[in-house]
Each structure stands twice: as C-alpha cells, then as structure tokens.
Amino acid sequence: MSERRRALVTGLTGQDGSYLAEFLLGKGYEVFGLVRRSSMPRLERVQGILGEVQIVYGDLIDQSSLQRVMGDCRPHEIYNLAAQSFVPTSFAEPVLTAEVTALGATRMLEAMRHVCPEARFYQASSSEMFGAVRETPQNELTPFVPQSPYGLSKLYAHWATVQHREAYGVFACSGILFNHESPRRGEEFVTRKIAKAAARISRGLQEVLYLGNLDARRDWGFAGDYVRAMWLMLQADEAADFVIATGETNSVRDFCSRAFERVGLRWEDHVETQEALIRPLEVDLLVGDASLAEERLGWEPTITFEGLVEMMVDAELAKLDASE
Ligand code: NAP
Ligand code: G4F
C-alpha cells in the first residue's frame, strides 16, 4: 500500500490556508497546519476541520521552530501561505512585514533544504509585485515594480524561491496570484468590507461605508479556485512559476455597484471616500494573463466577477439572518 501524502501548510488560519487544507484533506492528504502561538489562536476559519487537520506550532520569524516542525511532519509538500498580507499595515510596519513576508520565506526554504530537501515547495507570491505595471495584462515575464513594503517583501521571497530552485535543485514553485476573495476574506480587505457593509446597510444596521481609492482596478477571483492552482503546481513534472488570474479587471467602484445592486440599493447613496484610507503609493491596475497555467496545468477559474460578488454579499446576509 502506498504511503499517505503529507502536506505542511503555513498560514492555516488565513483565508487560503483554510480552503487549501480542506482541498488537501479531500484528496486524502495528511495535513499539518502551522499556527503561531498566541493567547487566542484565530481558528474560526478551520473550525469545521479541526478534528482532521493536525495543528503544529511555529512562527515564520523563528528558524528553529520551522526546522523542528519539518522534522516532525516530514512533509512531501510544503505550502508557504503565512505572511503579513495587508498592504496598509506594511506601510505602518515595514520591518515586521519584511521579517515575516520576505525573510520568513527564506527561513522556510532554508529549513526545507536542510531538513527535507526532497519535499516540494509552494511560495505564495503576489500580483502586488507588478506594482506600477509596465504592461497589461501581466504575465510571468512582466517586470516587477513594487509599490509597497508588502510588494517589496513578496518580491524578495519570490526571488528567494527561484534562487533555491536554481542553486540547490529543490522543487520550488512561486504562484503569482492575483487578488482572490471569498466569504472567508479578512474584514479589512476591500471586497469583504463592501460586501459586509452592503448587507448591513440593507438591514438598517449601518448608514455609511467609508472607502479610499474607488478607481483602483483589480483582477478578482475566487479563493477556492486559486488553492487548486497551488496544488496543481506541485503535481507538475517540473517546478516553475505561474500567474494565476481571471483575466478580467474591475474597479472598486464596480464592486460597490454590483454589491449594492444585489441588496436593491444604489451605492452612490451610501459610500463616502475618506482621505485616511488612501495609500502613500497605489497599484492602479492589475489584470493577469494565466495562459501558461491553463496550458501546462489545465487550470481555469470557475467563478465570474458577478458570481463572486453575489457569493460574498449573500454570505453576509445569511450571517445576519443566523444572528437574528
Ligand atoms: P491571510 O488571510 O492574511 O492569512 C495570513 C496567514 O499568515 C494567517 O494564518 C496568519 O496567522 C499567518 N501568519 C502571519 N504572520 C505569521 C507568522 N509570523 N508566523 C506564522 N504565521 C503567520 O492571507 P490569505 O489571503 O489567506 O493569503 C495567503 C497568502 O497568499 C499570503 O502569503 C498572502 O500574502 C498571499 N497572497 C494573497 C492573495 C489574496 O488575494 N488573498 C493574493 C496573492 C498572494 P494568524 O491567524 O495568527 O494571524
Ligand atoms: O482589498 P485590498 O486591501 O487588496 P490589495 O491591496 O490589492 O492586496 C491584496 O491583494 C494582493 C494581490 O495583488 C495580495 F497579495 C495581498 O496580500 C492582498 O490580499 O485593496 C484593493 C484595492 C486597493 O487599490 C485599495 O486602495 O482597494 C482599494 N481600497 C479602496 N478603499 C481599499 C479601500 N482597500 C481597503 N483594504 N480598504 C478600503 O477602505
């Protein structure tokens, strides 16, 4: 009988970690989820799988914890999803962001190289690395011009992944994922903030939604589709880097329009802009070309922009119904 595949997922408690763990359990993997120690670990997103996933404690800023965990789990596949992932926080806490998001990835790669060099490694890279984009749509060959300490940190981690592959021959892939959302998205990100506010305003629980730049355009997909792409990258014959995106771009204003339409309201009557929410530097336009992933991995998104907005607003309405 063949050995059960083991996967180590960092960032288990985040949006993607929860979807990926569910996906891997569905494929029969033994899943180890790295959680950082805190007085109150945030396990809400993984409540449903706590009996199946094995929690292991460690922190991306502690090298020895990562080596210990890898030695204990002996993973076949490692998915490095942990990061300080919120762009505004990266302007407020640039050193912490670099420690976790940039050096944390290097610590993971070094731990793997020394403890389990045969494992396959996935790095959660980001379209934020394209920053002030030099071409549209963006693909694997588009130059990187990061516009935030977060983008800069992800770029360091991206090149660390490429270098480990080239220098040491480890199987390491970097997935350059464009924005992906879901009802489990953190409440500080713009899509969840809008979906939640539209639902609350429609029920008379809130009056105004304050936002920053309404003109920014993003390529928004569904997180459930994107974790499947992560797994596909680690099943390929050869390690490589892939853009994962829908190929469609919409503005924050478009997201508002759809979300408020879903609850029968006009967004213009409820949204106000606030200077404090404007970033020191902005990424104006992102739209990805995922044709390499389609060709080599057979990956395609299944959820449209309209479907995503409806899914997120409907989930917020259902939560309000359940709490009544
Ligand atoms: P998320 O919801 O913010 O989750 C981040 C995870 O990292 C959380 O589980 C968090 O744990 C963990 N973490 C933070 N600092 C840590 C540390 N020092 N040691 C160990 N764990 C730590 O992010 P996400 O949306 O799921 O995204 C997953 C990854 O993909 C991130 O690396 C993100 O930067 C990247 N990415 C995301 C998108 C997107 O659109 N979602 C696009 C491109 C790339 P706590 O619960 O303890 O805070
Ligand atoms: O939802 P956001 O905060 O996501 P952002 O900055 O694009 O970053 C996300 O996607 C990246 C992939 O490109 C990931 F790597 C990263 O970890 C994260 O998941 O903001 C989206 C846009 C921005 O242009 C922002 O300026 O929405 C604009 N925006 C306008 N008002 C707002 C708001 N963003 C937030 N968070 N809150 C607002 O009130």
Side-chain angles (χ1 to χ4, degrees):
M1 215 172 70
S2 67
E3 193 185 15
R4 196 173 166 205
R5 304 274 304 164
R6 290 182 297 278
L8 171 63
V9 178
T10 73
L12 176 81
T13 56
Q15 170 188 260
D16 290 6
S18 67
Y19 280 107
L20 179 64
E22 284 169 16
F23 177 86
L24 294 171
L25 287 168
K27 292 245 167 241
Y29 280 71
E30 191 174 356
V31 178
F32 297 88
L34 186 92
V35 172
R36 57 178 166 162
R37 192 79 208 165
S38 81
S39 58
M40 186 87 100
R42 298 184 310 160
L43 296 170
E44 310 90 45
R45 292 183 177 109
V46 286
Q47 260 331 316
I49 52 168
L50 275 181
E52 296 167 84
V53 71
Q54 304 196 40
I55 304 287
V56 290
Y57 287 97
D59 198 303
L60 251 63
I61 62 177
D62 185 308
Q63 180 78 43
S64 65
S65 71
L66 304 178
Q67 295 193 189
R68 170 181 47 74
V69 162
M70 286 188 202
D72 290 349
C73 306
R74 294 175 298 111
H76 299 99
E77 294 172 19
I78 299 171
Y79 296 86
N80 184 35
L81 309 187
Q84 190 305 94
S85 75
F86 191 47
V87 172
T89 298
S90 80
F91 284 104
E93 300 177 12
V95 176
L96 174 85
T97 302
E99 271 295 347
V100 179
T101 305
L103 291 179
T106 302
R107 291 188 190 99
M108 287 291 292
L109 284 157
E110 284 292 284
M112 175 178 92
R113 182 161 82 86
H114 293 294
V115 178
C116 48
E118 300 305 319
R120 294 184 166 206
F121 186 89
Y122 172 84
Q123 169 58 22
S125 287
S126 165
S127 51
E128 182 75 14
M129 301 187 306
F130 293 122
V133 298
R134 292 293 188 255
E135 63 181 6
T136 294
Q138 297 85 48
N139 64 32
E140 293 79 4
L141 300 176
T142 301
F144 298 118
V145 192
Q147 296 288 288
S148 65
Y150 168 79
L152 192 57
S153 299
K154 280 289 179 188
L155 191 52
Y156 182 98
H158 171 75
W159 284 121
T161 306
V162 174
Q163 274 186 11
H164 271 71
R165 180 169 74 222
E166 292 178 353
Y168 309 118
V170 292
F171 192 107
C173 300
S174 172
I176 307 173
L177 271 52
F178 283 62
N179 298 51
H180 45 279
E181 320 291 315
S182 74
R184 297 184 201 168
R185 187 55 143 149
E187 292 188 2
E188 67 276 35
F189 296 93
V190 79
T191 54
R192 179 84 191 279
K193 188 173 168 182
I194 297 169
K196 186 175 177 188
R200 286 173 54 80
I201 290 170
S202 76
R203 296 284 166 87
L205 297 169
Q206 184 177 332
E207 283 181 5
V208 183
L209 166 61
Y210 293 104
L211 292 175
N213 179 10
L214 302 180
D215 295 324
R217 302 185 73 85
R218 290 290 182 274
D219 180 331
W220 279 297
F222 170 54
D225 282 337
Y226 286 46
V227 300
R228 190 174 73 254
M230 298 173 188
W231 176 78
L232 284 169
M233 283 179 219
L234 297 200
Q235 312 315 308
D237 292 336
E238 239 180 85
D241 309 320
F242 293 94
V243 158
I244 300 297
T246 69
E248 181 184 330
T249 187
N250 286 282
S251 66
V252 172
R253 186 179 284 101
D254 296 331
F255 199 103
C256 286
S257 171
R258 285 268 168 195
F260 279 83
E261 194 179 295
R262 184 71 179 163
V263 293
L265 298 173
R266 279 163 37 91
W267 72 274
E268 297 94 325
D269 297 335
H270 304 280
V271 174
E272 287 181 23
T273 51
Q274 210 174 41
E275 194 58 31
L277 293 168
I278 304 282
R279 299 173 182 186
L281 271 179
E282 178 63 282
V283 172
D284 295 323
L285 163 71
L286 290 175
V287 56
D289 170 5
S291 39
L292 186 70
E294 186 179 346
E295 187 192 309
R296 288 222 214 144
L297 307 175
W299 181 85
E300 274 184 79
T302 65
I303 305 286
T304 61
F305 174 69
E306 293 74 20
L308 177 68
V309 181
E310 287 176 15
M311 178 200 299
M312 293 182 72
V313 174
D314 291 356
E316 296 300 330
L317 291 169
K319 249 179 253 166
L320 291 178
D321 288 341
S323 67
E324 266 172 14

